[in-house]
Amino acid sequence: MPYRLDITQGEWPEGELRKGVEGLLAEAMVLTLATAGHEHGPHANLAFFAYDDDLVLYFVSERATRHSHHLAEEARAAATVFLPPPVFGEQLRGIQLTGSAGEAWGRQAEAAFAAYQGRFPSFGQDPEVRRQYLANAGAAALYRFQVEELTVVDEPAFGRRNYLRASVVR
């Protein structure tokens, strides 16, 4: 196992929590990323994401966006991944994540590209597009979000309003 979850709130076997987290990530395709900057304050955006076996999430974004500027100033970020509930207020399923994020370079860019293309096979099929992403040469970049802490709620799996908090240990 490349990472483990150190449960800091709630009672649940680590292996089952890990399986639940990875299951939620597999079912969701979009995250909400929250950043903050000195000039423009807090900001949230949506991004398609991929992830790897070390609980690192990857997304693609234009360098000119507000959240990209924020991440260039301050690497701290938060994100949510959730699945729509079948009815209001019931069967909640989602994860709140905190960690650090920024452009992926070198081997990290290669890992990001592989994870992203693995999840979205049509991404980066053109060799020139691939080259630009891996060389960090285009208007858009691959970003890496390393999860440090998370809170997960999965009512069908873990019970009603059972919020489980954990630190990610690598």
Side-chain angles (χ1 to χ4, degrees), residues 36-42 66 69-70 73:
H38 300 292
E39 275 189 52
H40 300 293
R66 182 185 289 185
H69 288 283
H70 286 173
E73 289 177 24

Side-chain angles (χ1 to χ4, degrees), residues 102-126:
E103 280 192 43
W105 294 83
R107 288 192 178 138
Q108 291 179 349
E110 291 171 12
F113 193 93
Y116 209 80
Q117 193 173 56
R119 186 149 205 205
F120 306 107
S122 64
F123 172 75
Q125 291 296 316
D126 180 312

Side-chain angles (χ1 to χ4, degrees), residues 101-160:
E103 280 192 43
W105 294 83
R107 288 192 178 138
Q108 291 179 349
E110 291 171 12
F113 193 93
Y116 209 80
Q117 193 173 56
R119 186 149 205 205
F120 306 107
S122 64
F123 172 75
Q125 291 296 316
D126 180 312
E128 178 57 21
V129 170
R130 176 185 167 82
R131 186 199 66 73
Q132 285 185 5
Y133 276 111
L134 295 181
N136 296 87
L142 295 159
Y143 286 80
R144 179 180 195 276
F145 182 100
Q146 184 164 313
V147 180
E148 296 168 7
E149 295 180 325
L150 60 84
T151 301
V152 62
V153 59
D154 187 344
E155 291 183 345
F158 304 133
R160 183 168 170 76

Side-chain angles (χ1 to χ4, degrees), residues 2 4 14 17 30 45 54 57 63 68-69 71 114 123 136 157:
R4 70 177 177 80
E14 192 265 345
L17 179 58
V30 176
N45 74 288
D54 203 25
L57 281 58
R63 289 187 170 99
S68 293
H69 288 283
L71 292 175
F123 172 75
N136 296 87

